[in-house]
Amino acid sequence: MEANILHADLDAFYASVEQLLDPALRGKPIAVGGGVVLAASYEAKAFGVRGGMPGRRARELCPGLIFVGGHFKDYQRLGDAAIKVLGDFTPLIERISIDEAFADVAGCTHLFGPPAEIADTIRRRVRAELGLPISVGVARTKHLAKIASQVAKPDGLVVVDPCHELEFLHDLPVELMWGVGPVTRERLAGIGVNTIGELAKTPGWSLERLLGPAAGEKLNALAWNRDPRKLETQRRARSAGAQSALGRKPAEEQVFVPALLHLADRVATRLRAKSRPGRTVTVRVRFADLRSVTRSITLDQPISATAMLAEIAEALVRKVLVDHPHEKTISLLAIAVSHLEKQSALQLELPLDLDDDRRRPGTRKGAARWTADRAIDKIRDRFGWEAVGYASVALGLSRSVPDAFRELAEKEL
């Protein structure tokens, strides 16, 4: 097989856009955000500044750091324009975020030349037409193309020869792999696995014991570049989620209750807009040491009511805190809803007056919650998001991350 899969990724996108809009910022360490770093330029990353970092810590690492508020409409406009450049070469595009996408160019090489030439043309056009740097990886599989684009950063092009895939892959650090975050990286380092090659040579039973059967099997396959996934050009999201970086806040209900309600409001609003309630609710709690714990529950019926989702998420977070009594600080909370279903109407239930009626969408109490949410949705559609909402959110939560940024980060259903 030939290397026909491209992964294009705009470099330090949000920060690069700010430097494009204000030439005085070019070459200087900048960060988008304030209380929390939303994105950092390469000049700031050289000092150790990273996205999700508290603003105070970022200033300690880089005293000359310049914070900017963010131009979110420009992010969307320029991100769409960059993806459109890919669309001029092939209709087979899988967009996975505002600033990155896969493209399959196997069917257009007779028009535009070999994949490496197409990738180079894309890079030159994005730079000339939009003024932004973009890195592109070209490989035979999606996983390897994404790794190649990371190796190509900043503003580069890497083409992986199918005859030398493992030679390229196995010398790279394991954290470049899809699905290997800080926690997994630390666990692998604990057994002496630091490169993808070392991971490939680790016995399967050892990985499964360390990471679980599913994750162990998946990472072992990717370490040998076994990735049969095709591009999903009409991909529909299998879940909807939102997260909030809190900095360092005490693990107390006056902190996590309003934060969870705000997250539930964002997620449930999107579920209702697409008439796609979900059965499985998952929460993620990240502590001060950046270690994360998740808890999930699968419900009998799919839900999309804000208060219902918030209460279920709150119960899961309380369980996390009970299971980890020594953790006193929370740095991030996240809610996700999966196992989505297409639902055009609410299925009512018999009035049995069960204890959990408030959390069952088809009961009288559950239906009342859903009806109230639909009224809120209509008001927001007409007058804007801030026109109406839940009082505990409006009064109890300091939004260090603008909702405009959150909307960009949250994928459409």
Side-chain angles (χ1 to χ4, degrees):
M1 295 180 64
E2 297 182 5
N4 294 314
I5 303 298
L6 276 59
H7 180 262
D9 191 359
L10 289 155
D11 297 322
F13 178 54
Y14 303 112
S16 294
V17 171
E18 297 301 328
Q19 292 175 326
L20 174 69
L21 298 176
D22 183 358
L25 297 175
R26 294 176 185 173
K28 297 180 181 179
I30 72 166
V32 180
V36 175
V37 175
L38 306 180
S41 67
Y42 279 103
E43 295 84 358
K45 290 179 179 180
F47 289 87
V49 178
R50 296 289 184 270
M53 178 179 289
R56 180 181 300 178
R57 175 58 178 160
R59 289 186 176 92
E60 291 175 354
L61 292 173
C62 182
L65 187 64
I66 302 171
F67 272 92
V68 294
H71 294 79
F72 303 101
K73 290 183 179 179
D74 289 305
Y75 300 160
Q76 187 70 64
R77 172 179 62 85
L78 291 167
D80 290 346
I83 302 302
K84 186 176 182 298
V85 172
L86 272 69
D88 289 342
F89 294 88
T90 175
L92 301 179
I93 295 174
E94 179 183 344
R95 189 171 183 174
I96 58 177
S97 72
I98 188 174
D99 58 350
E100 62 177 317
F102 289 103
D104 187 339
V105 297
C108 62
T109 54
H110 63 292
L111 293 174
F112 304 111
E117 186 175 323
I118 294 174
D120 186 57
T121 303
I122 288 171
R123 291 185 59 250
R124 287 189 283 106
R125 279 191 54 184
V126 170
R127 171 66 80 175
E129 297 173 17
L130 305 178
L132 293 172
I134 186 169
S135 295
V136 182
V138 184
R140 186 176 55 85
T141 64
K142 290 172 66 174
H143 179 249
L144 195 56
K146 184 171 175 63
I147 287 181
S149 71
Q150 294 180 74
V151 174
K153 288 182 176 294
D155 194 18
L157 168 63
V158 169
V159 180
V160 182
D161 186 337
C163 296
H164 302 283
E165 290 175 339
L166 297 184
E167 295 175 28
F168 168 80
L169 185 63
H170 282 180
D171 287 336
L172 297 174
V174 72
E175 57 264 30
L176 289 184
M177 295 183 68
W178 221 336
V180 177
V183 174
T184 301
R185 180 187 62 194
E186 290 181 9
R187 289 180 179 176
L188 291 172
I191 61 171
V193 174
N194 296 293
T195 68
I196 298 176
E198 291 169 343
L199 175 64
K201 297 173 183 176
T202 303
W205 60 265
S206 180
L207 290 177
E208 291 181 8
R209 186 173 63 182
L210 183 70
L211 306 174
E217 182 179 359
K218 176 183 176 181
L219 289 182
N220 180 264
L222 293 178
W224 290 102
N225 197 34
R226 294 195 294 267
D227 182 12
R229 295 172 300 167
K230 304 298 182 182
L231 268 65
E232 299 180 41
T233 57
Q234 301 294 328
R235 182 177 60 175
R236 168 167 281 184
R238 298 181 178 88
S239 65
Q243 66 181 31
S244 180
L246 304 178
R248 294 173 62 89
K249 295 292 181 65
E252 299 173 355
E253 66 177 39
Q254 60 263 37
V255 171
F256 65 77
V257 170
L260 290 171
L261 182 52
H262 180 54
L263 293 173
D265 195 12
R266 286 158 49 196
V267 174
T269 297
R270 293 160 57 210
L271 295 175
R272 293 191 299 272
K274 299 295 183 178
S275 299
R276 299 194 70 204
R279 290 180 178 273
T280 300
V281 179
T282 302
V283 300
R284 178 161 60 98
V285 182
R286 191 172 71 192
F287 299 115
D289 60 358
L290 302 183
R291 185 171 57 91
S292 295
V293 176
T294 60
R295 291 289 184 274
S296 299
I297 185 172
T298 298
L299 309 170
D300 293 335
Q301 292 185 334
I303 65 169
S304 62
T306 295
M308 203 176 295
L309 176 57
E311 289 178 1
I312 293 170
E314 180 185 332
L316 292 172
V317 169
R318 291 184 185 278
K319 188 175 188 311
V320 169
L321 297 178
V322 168
D323 293 342
H324 298 81
H326 57 288
E327 298 289 354
K328 304 299 181 184
T329 303
I330 298 175
S331 62
L332 179 142
L333 290 170
I335 296 177
V337 179
S338 56
H339 292 126
L340 306 183
E341 300 182 6
K342 187 65 178 177
Q343 186 180 77
S344 57
L346 186 64
Q347 181 66 46
L348 300 180
E349 298 183 29
L350 292 173
L352 300 178
D353 293 326
L354 301 176
D355 292 338
D356 63 347
D357 273 3
R358 287 169 57 85
R359 299 184 183 179
R360 299 179 68 85
T363 64
R364 183 172 57 186
K365 294 178 180 178
R369 287 179 151 187
W370 185 84
T371 302
D373 282 334
R374 293 299 296 162
I376 290 175
D377 294 339
K378 290 180 179 179
I379 294 172
R380 285 173 168 172
D381 288 343
R382 183 171 181 180
F383 299 105
W385 182 271
E386 301 297 336
V388 64
Y390 288 84
S392 57
V393 172
L395 298 176
L397 183 62
S398 174
R399 299 183 183 179
S400 60
V401 179
D403 282 336
F405 190 91
R406 292 186 168 116
E407 291 169 6
L408 289 178
E410 294 166 3
K411 298 177 182 177
E412 290 293 330
L413 294 178

